[in-house]
Structure formats: structure tokens, C-alpha cells
């Protein structure tokens, strides 16, 4: 009976991971990002196109045009096919240098440049911390070992609109 359960667990686990999970697990866990104001763009929820995520800049998320952003998307990996972001509260940019903030983010946002689609993979627990190296550089430390099985497709309001199927990317 134990052998059957073990085989079932192995087979089930192998099929629950997508190529996006594999992409995340292949990334380096540490990234340094320029967070200066000249390296930021604005994104208005529900109004702007997802193609804004084709940038290698920090993306400030605005709910309304006259409001101040509360969160931003920080790129932790840029490649020819995908951009991977984490959502970080903007107030952490104002913190002093040499300050580590643990349990900062709990999911990864992946932009597919070929399909202009945005995906979210959440983690069972907080999966990252940030360290303010200096006034302009933020260092992220990511952990990819507790990724949840589901991959969500996001709309331009960054809300989960549906669960993607297992064959997301070839």
C-alpha cells in the first residue's frame, strides 16, 4: 500500500507543475533592481494594457489617476520570452539602507512576451524578502520551493480571471 501511495504522489506531483513553475525554479534566487524614480513607469489598473509589463522597469500600480501608488511590480528576471515580477509595497522603497524586510511577497507575476499574457503563481508561504542595499538598489531574495499548483491568468486590473491549463507554454 505504501508503494502505491508513493508512486501516486510522484506521478501527481510531476503533472502538477507547469513550464512556468520550471521557469521560476530555474531563476537565481537573488536579484538587484534599480528602484530610482527614473527607472519606473506607471500602470493604471483597468485602463492600461498588459503590454506595459514588457518593460524592464519597476511598475508603479495606480488604482486611480489622482491617487498615489501603494504597491509596485519589481522585475526580478528579464529574458527574451518572459519577465518575472514580484509585488512589493512602495513604502519599502522609502526605508533606510541596510534594512532587511522578510516575508515581503507571496507570489510571482510572469509576463509572456509572445502572447501578452500575465500569469500569477502563488506560494504556500511568504516566498521572498527584500534588502535595501542603497538609495537606488533593492535586492530581492526569492524562494521557489513552495509554489502552489495553480497558475492564474490575470486581467488588466491584476485580478485572477481564470486558472490556466497545464499546457501554458511550450
Amino acid at each position: 500500500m505504501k508503494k502505491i501511495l508513493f508512486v501516486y504522489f510522484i506521478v501527481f506531483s510531476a503533472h502538477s507543475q507547469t513550464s512556468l513553475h520550471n521557469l521560476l525554479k530555474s531563476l537565481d534566487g537573488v536579484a538587484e533592481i534599480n528602484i530610482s524614480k527614473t527607472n519606473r513607469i506607471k500602470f493604471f489598473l483597468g485602463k492600461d494594457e498588459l503590454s506595459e509589463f514588457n518593460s524592464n522597469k519597476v511598475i508603479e500600480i495606480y488604482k486611480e489617476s489622482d491617487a498615489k501608488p501603494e504597491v509596485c511590480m519589481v522585475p526580478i528576471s528579464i529574458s527574451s520570452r518572459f519577465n518575472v515580477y514580484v509585488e512589493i509595497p512602495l513604502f519599502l522603497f522609502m526605508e533606510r539602507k541596510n534594512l532587511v524586510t522578510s516575508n515581503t511577497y507571496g507570489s510571482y507575476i510572469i509576463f509572456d512576451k509572445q502572447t501578452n499574457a500575465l500569469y500569477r503563481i502563488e506560494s504556500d508561504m511568504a516566498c521572498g524578502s527584500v534588502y535595501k542595499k542603497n538609495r537606488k538598489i533593492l535586492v530581492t531574495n526569492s524562494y521557489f520551493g513552495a509554489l502552489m499548483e495553480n497558475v492564474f491568468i490575470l486581467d488588466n486590473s491584476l485580478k485572477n480571471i481564470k486558472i490556466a491549463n497545464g499546457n501554458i507554454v511550450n
Side-chain angles (χ1 to χ4, degrees), residues 77-135:
S77 176
I78 304 294
S79 71
S80 61
R81 174 82 193 264
F82 297 103
N83 289 355
V84 179
Y85 295 88
V86 293
E87 185 176 329
I88 295 179
L90 199 57
F91 74 85
L92 290 177
F93 288 11
M94 311 317 168
E95 295 291 333
R96 296 172 303 174
K97 69 178 187 174
N98 299 326
L99 179 70
V100 175
T101 306
S102 58
N103 302 329
T104 307
Y105 49 94
S107 65
Y108 298 96
I109 308 296
I110 303 164
F111 178 72
D112 185 337
K113 294 178 181 180
Q114 290 182 351
T115 63
N116 276 344
L118 201 59
Y119 302 99
R120 180 190 324 266
I121 297 180
E122 296 176 349
S123 181
D124 276 338
M125 60 184 147
C127 55
S129 61
V130 297
Y131 166 73
K132 186 103 180 258
K133 186 174 180 179
N134 61 42
R135 200 168 53 87

Side-chain angles (χ1 to χ4, degrees), residues 34-98:
N34 176 356
I35 59 168
S36 65
K37 291 192 180 203
T38 58
N39 195 44
R40 299 183 196 176
I41 61 171
K42 296 179 179 182
F43 182 86
F44 294 95
L45 292 176
K47 297 178 183 174
D48 286 340
E49 297 294 321
L50 292 177
S51 59
E52 296 290 326
F53 283 85
N54 197 6
S55 170
N56 63 349
K57 297 187 176 204
V58 172
I59 302 173
E60 295 178 328
I61 306 297
Y62 289 82
K63 292 181 182 177
E64 299 172 15
S65 59
D66 60 346
K68 291 186 177 182
E70 295 178 13
V71 297
C72 58
M73 295 292 178
V74 175
I76 62 169
S77 176
I78 304 294
S79 71
S80 61
R81 174 82 193 264
F82 297 103
N83 289 355
V84 179
Y85 295 88
V86 293
E87 185 176 329
I88 295 179
L90 199 57
F91 74 85
L92 290 177
F93 288 11
M94 311 317 168
E95 295 291 333
R96 296 172 303 174
K97 69 178 187 174
N98 299 326

